[in-house]
Amino acid sequence: MNRWLIENGIFVTMDPERPKLEGWMAVEGRAIAAMGAGEAPEEERAKAKEIVNGKDLLFMPGLINTHGHAAMSLLRGLADDLVLQDWLENHMWPMEAKFTGDDVYWGTSLAAMEMILSGTTAFVDMYDHMDRVAQVVELSGLRASLTRGVIGLCPPDVQTAKLNDAIQFARDWHGQADGRIRAMMSPHAPYTCPPDYIERIVAAAHELGLPMHTHMSETAAEVAQNVRDYGVRPAEHLDRLGLFSRPALVAHAVHLTDEEIALLAERGVAVSHNPVSNLKLASGVARVPDLLRAGVTVSLGTDSAASNNNLDLFEEIRLAALLHKGVSGDPTAVPAAEALRMATVYGAKSIGLEGVVGMLKPGMKADFIALSIAKAHFVPATDYVSHLVYSASGADVAHVWVDGKQLLRNRELLTMDAERIRFEAQRSFERLRQ
Ligand SMILES: [Zn+2]
């Protein structure tokens, strides 16, 4: 198996036993084989087919984006500065109704390219035409948890057809692309799916052995609607419908009571915190410090580029570290290291990949990135965790590897045709706009 070596590098590992390392790392096949401080041992150098000089590079685990709708990159900048329901119902849904499989393919390709260029190595995607999304994941080399999100505001036969589509997608693609693709099951949200439909989706997830993903309590209005329609708030509603009887990841969870936070902690439900999207749509500020204190796994998501408007997860990391300080008046809320864990270790845990990705550690998958640090904003060499959170951006990412394979070299994409993707994405948008 191909074994190669990085030497003279700085490694922010996210491994609590060895958080920072100046030294070397060996990769064999798809996994990290060995790491050490100082100069690489002669036997490691002898075993390596290739030796990469890590000078002026900072290596860290690839970032994990735990909520998004990649194909909506086609709608970036189309409708800004609107409230969520108006934005969704009058601007997003009419355009999305026109999406063909090809539009999804090129929109997702555009998103995949942007994610690789900003250091994301794994992402969660909830959308339609998921076969086309999976094709992009396969080709790009990224890792992804994919789910056909279903909206149940339709006649029963259409509901059934959508659910069958989600089941078929999971059967066809779970474990594909050398195991880089995993499937989830997704009712879009409690306010877009009747209770009996959610129960059917949960039953299918049990049968397939898959985790659940949904939007929950993004806005105060949808929480009020849930209470009006079902007599309980969304977390209790979903719990009663059995959604938390599977491993579950909920996006947003902005409006929570203490009781709901306790319930999420008890059921082991993970939360994808999407600060930029929540701010842009004025949805509110999630109670992240309270969630973390309660022991809830909180990871980070961009949501789509239609409500963000980019997929640079470094922005979410910085905002997760800043926002909760500002709101609480407590500068110790969400410290830098915790914000970085949200994008790596906790991201992995949110998608069932704890101990597989999210850390640089021998035995774990070789999903990692290298930032170019010979730049003004990385000087002086005080604390690289601080620099990554408060000073870096996706534009600093020079190299990306997933599953041991290099996807980006000196900011050049190795698996995707950037010019073609930009052209096709623009062409898709112009057709959709007609
Ligand atoms: Zn979303």
Side-chain angles (χ1 to χ4, degrees):
M1 221 185 298
N2 185 34
R3 190 172 175 114
W4 56 282
L5 178 71
I6 296 162
E7 53 181 17
N8 305 316
I10 291 167
F11 299 85
V12 171
T13 67
M14 305 313 290
D15 177 0
E17 285 166 27
R18 184 166 57 186
K20 192 194 159 197
L21 186 71
E22 285 185 39
W24 58 274
M25 181 167 88
V27 176
E28 187 165 321
R30 296 178 194 166
I32 296 167
M35 302 176 75
E39 302 228 329
E42 252 335 291
E43 76 232 43
E44 279 295 343
R45 306 193 88 233
K47 272 194 274 186
K49 285 202 182 125
E50 189 196 349
I51 296 178
V52 172
N53 186 1
K55 188 175 177 303
D56 293 333
L57 293 173
L58 172 60
F59 295 85
M60 67 172 290
L63 306 180
I64 300 172
N65 185 344
T66 60
H67 182 69
H69 316 278
M72 290 177 78
S73 285
L74 292 183
L75 306 180
R76 185 191 336 256
L78 176 71
D80 298 320
D81 311 329
L82 298 167
V83 299
L84 185 120
Q85 292 312 329
D86 178 21
W87 173 77
L88 201 59
E89 289 167 22
N90 301 321
H91 298 272
M92 294 299 113
W93 288 350
M95 287 292 273
E96 291 180 281
K98 294 192 248 173
F99 272 37
T100 63
D102 281 349
D103 295 324
V104 169
Y105 183 86
W106 292 114
T108 304
S109 296
L110 182 66
M113 168 166 121
E114 188 186 352
M115 286 192 273
I116 294 170
L117 282 160
S118 53
T120 289
T121 55
F123 70 106
V124 172
D125 200 57
M126 181 203 286
Y127 214 62
D128 191 3
H129 299 285
M130 293 308 293
D131 289 327
R132 307 306 303 276
V133 175
Q135 286 165 5
V136 174
V137 174
E138 194 168 37
L139 175 88
S140 67
L142 284 164
R143 190 180 298 284
S145 288
L146 306 179
T147 175
R148 198 295 192 203
V150 294
I151 292 178
L153 306 172
C154 49
D157 58 318
V158 182
Q159 284 185 353
T160 299
K162 285 181 178 178
L163 177 55
N164 288 341
D165 186 33
I167 291 169
Q168 195 57 49
F169 171 75
R171 289 217 168 104
D172 290 345
W173 285 96
H174 185 64
Q176 293 299 307
D178 299 323
R180 286 184 286 108
I181 294 178
R182 294 161 67 92
M184 303 170 105
M185 293 297 280
S186 290
H188 170 268
Y191 68 93
T192 54
C193 291
D196 64 322
Y197 193 41
I198 293 177
E199 283 175 331
R200 289 172 65 197
I201 301 164
V202 171
H206 272 289
E207 207 173 295
L208 294 160
L210 296 177
M212 307 292 308
H213 183 41
T214 194
H215 295 97
M216 190 187 86
S217 304
E218 181 175 0
T219 64
E222 72 183 72
V223 173
Q225 186 188 330
N226 204 96
V227 172
R228 200 165 59 236
D229 292 350
Y230 307 119
V232 286
R233 295 173 65 88
E236 194 182 338
H237 179 62
L238 292 176
D239 188 44
R240 285 185 188 178
L241 298 174
L243 197 129
F244 302 152
S245 63
R246 298 295 315 158
L249 168 65
V250 297
H252 305 302
V254 173
H255 300 276
L256 299 176
T257 60
D258 291 347
E259 291 71 27
E260 285 177 296
I261 291 175
L263 178 66
L264 296 180
E266 200 183 310
R267 298 284 189 266
V269 176
V271 167
S272 178
H273 176 40
N274 298 191
V276 173
S277 176
N278 294 160
L279 284 174
K280 183 160 182 263
L281 292 165
S283 300
V285 176
R287 296 174 59 189
V288 169
D290 294 331
L291 284 162
L292 289 168
R293 216 171 289 125
V296 174
T297 299
V298 182
S299 52
L300 294 174
T302 52
D303 216 340
S304 82
S307 66
N308 189 300
N309 290 6
N310 66 52
L311 305 179
D312 182 353
L313 211 62
F314 280 98
E315 270 190 20
E316 310 291 330
I317 295 172
R318 181 175 311 148
L319 204 50
L322 294 178
L323 178 60
H324 304 290
K325 296 175 183 17
V327 168
S328 66
D330 174 9
T332 70
V334 192
E338 188 74 342
L340 208 52
R341 279 191 284 272
M342 288 164 71
T344 54
V345 186
Y346 300 162
K349 201 173 169 192
S350 295
I351 55 171
L353 292 180
E354 190 179 16
V356 179
V357 296
M359 266 186 211
L360 301 182
K361 191 175 183 171
M364 292 183 65
K365 295 279 189 197
D367 286 22
F368 62 97
I369 62 178
L371 285 78
S372 170
I373 54 170
K375 297 179 178 181
H377 60 280
F378 285 104
V379 177
T382 40
D383 176 352
Y384 282 113
V385 168
S386 167
H387 291 351
L388 285 170
V389 173
Y390 295 120
S391 184
S393 80
D396 297 318
V397 174
H399 310 282
V400 173
W401 290 264
V402 175
D403 221 25
K405 181 180 169 185
Q406 190 159 16
L407 310 188
L408 188 74
R409 184 189 294 138
N410 290 318
R411 293 199 67 72
E412 186 200 335
L413 290 159
L414 302 181
T415 55
M416 307 194 85
D417 182 343
E419 198 182 330
R420 170 100 197 266
I421 293 167
R422 283 197 304 269
F423 173 80
E424 296 287 357
Q426 181 65 30
R427 193 159 72 166
S428 272
F429 171 69
E430 279 163 17
R431 194 192 61 75
L432 290 166
R433 189 167 54 171
Q434 280 167 8

